[in-house]
Amino acid sequence: MRVIGLAGWSEAGKTTLLTKLIPALTRRGLRVATLKHAHHAFEIDRPGKDSFVHREVGAGEVIIASSRRWAQIHELGDAPEAGLGDLLRRLSPCDVVLVEGFKRESHPKLEVFRTANGRDPLHPHDPRIVAVASDAPFPEAGRPVVPLDDTEAIADLVLRLAEPIGAVLERLECHGAAD
């Protein structure tokens, strides 16, 4: 398993890029997993559904299973938020893990930069950003910069720059940063 993140400000196009990048990688015969950080309380279940009711009345963990998929919901309660390393360890084996968010963690990242966002780029201040996908040139970036709309070039970079999960987990344990 190899790991790389997509980092960027809100509305930079990370999710849009992921929806193009995942098919580009799976067309190459790769198994892809994603891990997304959410900044707020979120629900993957709907009120009224049995699994929602199970959590609502106190179940700390619920697994929903069918013949097509299964999902596990783990309630944290007052426990601290799970770190990137903890979540990476829970993934089933695959070829590439694409992490969206966790921009302060020490895994390798591809910055998604959009000029219209009006924000400064992240890469000048983050040595773990190993490449940039942008709608603007950065001739002094000191790392590869590819057009934001060139999905195949981005897929090539992802495959070249993603790191083995063991190295990523080791670095995360040493740094212990949080998003």
Side-chain angles (χ1 to χ4, degrees):
M1 286 173 55
R2 298 179 66 81
V3 178
I4 192 163
L6 271 66
W9 298 108
S10 180
E11 303 302 317
K14 297 179 299 291
T15 302
T16 299
L17 177 57
L18 274 174
T19 62
K20 296 175 183 174
L21 187 57
I22 294 166
L25 294 169
T26 58
R27 280 192 302 272
R28 296 177 187 204
L30 300 169
R31 291 171 298 154
V32 178
T34 63
L35 200 161
K36 171 153 175 55
H37 185 263
H39 290 283
H40 307 289
F42 66 93
E43 296 293 339
I44 61 169
D45 205 359
R46 295 189 319 259
K49 291 294 187 180
D50 291 348
S51 52
F52 187 93
V53 173
H54 296 182
R55 288 187 305 118
E56 196 172 47
V57 297
E61 198 154 81
V62 176
I63 293 179
I64 308 163
S66 75
S67 62
R68 299 190 57 104
R69 69 186 55 90
W70 67 271
Q72 181 178 16
I73 305 168
H74 182 89
E75 292 293 324
L76 290 174
D78 293 332
E81 180 177 352
L84 179 57
D86 298 325
L87 298 169
L88 286 170
R89 284 184 188 88
R90 292 179 178 272
L91 289 173
S92 298
C94 64
D95 298 305
V96 180
V97 180
L98 301 173
V99 178
E100 183 179 352
F102 293 97
K103 70 177 173 259
R104 291 186 185 98
E105 294 280 7
S106 59
H107 61 296
K109 296 174 279 272
L110 171 106
E111 179 177 1
V112 179
F113 181 84
R114 189 173 304 281
T115 307
N117 219 338
R119 305 286 302 261
D120 290 333
L122 299 171
H123 67 269
H125 308 290
D126 185 348
R128 295 306 305 156
I129 292 178
V130 296
V132 180
S134 175
D135 62 356
F138 287 103
E140 297 181 18
R143 60 208 82 194
V145 178
V146 296
L148 189 53
D149 61 357
D150 191 345
T151 306
E152 292 303 319
I154 296 168
D156 291 340
L157 278 177
V158 162
L159 294 176
R160 191 172 92 224
L161 299 173
E163 292 182 359
I165 193 167
V168 171
L169 290 172
E170 185 176 317
R171 189 177 318 100
L172 290 169
E173 288 169 5
C174 290
H175 289 104
D179 193 18

